Amino acid sequence: MSDAGMGITNALTSVLRGARGVTVLTGSGVSAESGVPTFRDAQTGLWARYEPQELATPEAFERDPRLVWEWYQWRRDLVRQAEPNPGHRALVEFERRVPTFLLATQNVDGLHRRAGSENVLELHGNIMRSKCSVEGVEAEPRTGDESVPPPCPGCGAFLRPDVVWFGEALPEDVFAAASEAARNCDVFLSVGTSSLVYPAASLPSEAARSGAMLVEVNPDDTPLTPHADYTLRGRAGEVLPVLVDALRTP
Ligand code: APR
C-alpha cells in the first residue's frame, strides 16, 4: 500500500516533523505481529475454550489460582519466544527524533523495552514479574519451587503475575505520569488498541482536550476513530515504519 493509501499525508508528516512532544499509547495489536495474540483474539490449543476476560480477574484467581497461574505460564512462554517486530522498532526510531517522547503501553510483554524504547510506562504491569497476592509487593518464586502457584517466599501466600487485572486499579504514579504526558504533547498516537479499556482509553481524549492532534493506527475502527484527526489504516508493523521513514525524508 502507498503512504497515501495508509493515510500518511504531507500535512501529517509536516505536523509530526514540527512536534516538540509526542505521546504514544499502544495496545496488544502492536504485539500481534510478534506472535503474541491480542487479548480479544481467539486463543489456541488448550486455552481456546477460555475467555481471557474470564481469566484475568481477581475473582478468577480466587476461584481457581492454579488455572490462572498456568494460563499466565502459557502466555509467558509465548512472550519468551516472541521478538520485537518492525512496529516496535519504528517507535524506537521515533523516540530518537522527537525532543519529548513518552510511550505508554497497555502491553505486559516488555517487547517495547526489548526493542530499545527508553521512556516507557507499563500501565498494566509486566507478565515476567510476580508479586505476592496478599502483600502486593514484587516477589519471585524460590528457585526450584514447582508448586502451582508458588508461595510468596516472605509470607507463604500465593504469588500472582504482576499485571493489572480487570476491575483492578492501575499503579497511581504510573497512570499520573501517562496522563501528564497526554496533556503536554502536541501529537498523541494511539496504536493497536481497541480503545475500550479504561482508564487507558481516556488518555487520547485528555490529550485532545489540551489541544493535541490525535492519530490512530489500527486496521479496524474503534470508538476513538471518529475523534481522530488522522486514521492510519493497517497493521502497526507496516504503517509505523513508513510513518517514521516519512519523517526522515523531507
Ligand atoms: N496492528 C495494529 N493494530 C492491530 C493489529 C496490528 N497488527 N492487529 C490487531 N490490531 C488491533 C485490533 O483491531 C484491536 O483494535 O488491536 C486492537 C487490540 O485490541 P484488544 O485485544 O482489546 O487489546 P488492547 O486494546 O490492548 O486491550 C487493552 O485490556 O484486555 C485488557 O489488560 C488487557 O492491556 C489489555 C487491555
Side-chain angles (χ1 to χ4, degrees):
M1 205 190 288
S2 65
D3 295 14
M6 288 178 181
I8 301 173
T9 60
N10 290 340
L12 171 61
T13 47
S14 82
V15 176
L16 283 176
R17 271 196 211 115
R20 307 286 310 155
V22 173
T23 299
V24 183
L25 173 67
T26 63
S28 61
V30 173
S31 292
E33 290 155 86
S34 292
V36 182
T38 67
F39 236 69
R40 266 151 258 274
D41 268 354
Q43 307 201 75
T44 52
L46 282 178
W47 296 100
R49 65 196 170 97
Y50 295 99
E51 285 286 326
Q53 289 93 320
E54 285 166 15
L55 292 170
T57 66
E59 294 76 21
F61 189 70
E62 218 158 276
R63 201 164 47 233
D64 197 341
R66 184 182 183 93
L67 177 80
V68 173
W69 182 267
E70 284 178 340
W71 181 58
Y72 275 96
Q73 286 302 88
W74 174 72
R75 291 176 64 86
R76 282 172 165 167
D77 285 343
L78 286 177
V79 167
R80 272 191 206 101
Q81 290 158 25
E83 293 294 334
N85 68 54
H88 294 108
R89 287 195 288 275
L91 290 172
V92 178
E93 179 68 30
F94 207 167
E95 180 167 18
R96 294 193 183 126
R97 292 178 174 272
V98 180
T100 307
F101 182 96
L102 179 97
L103 174 49
T105 186
Q106 297 166 87
N107 299 342
V108 295
D109 54 33
L111 286 175
H112 285 302
R113 280 190 206 281
R114 271 171 59 192
S117 285
E118 283 174 9
N119 204 10
V120 181
L121 290 176
E122 292 178 322
L123 301 174
H124 293 170
N126 190 305
I127 197 175
M128 291 306 181
R129 287 193 310 257
S130 302
K131 65 178 181 182
C132 175
S133 61
V134 170
E135 301 161 314
V137 292
E138 207 181 315
E140 294 304 326
R142 281 208 182 84
T143 321
D145 193 333
E146 302 283 319
S147 336
V148 181
C152 167
C155 74
F158 287 140
L159 290 179
R160 55 163 280 182
D162 190 2
V163 298
V164 176
W165 282 331
F166 289 103
E168 290 186 321
L170 275 60
E172 237 170 71
D173 49 337
V174 176
F175 190 71
S179 212
E180 194 187 327
R183 287 193 305 271
N184 291 322
C185 65
D186 310 314
V187 178
F188 188 98
L189 198 64
S190 170
V191 191
T193 171
S194 56
S195 297
L196 289 171
V197 178
Y198 283 79
S202 67
L203 292 170
S205 39
E206 268 195 66
R209 269 200 302 279
S210 308
M213 192 180 80
L214 288 188
V215 182
E216 182 178 52
V217 179
N218 200 307
D220 296 319
D221 269 1
T222 75
L224 181 66
T225 312
H227 308 284
D229 297 289
Y230 293 90
T231 304
L232 311 185
R233 283 272 171 247
R235 296 171 170 195
E238 288 161 8
V239 174
L240 292 176
V242 177
L243 186 66
V244 172
D245 237 25
L247 300 184
R248 204 179 288 145
T249 46

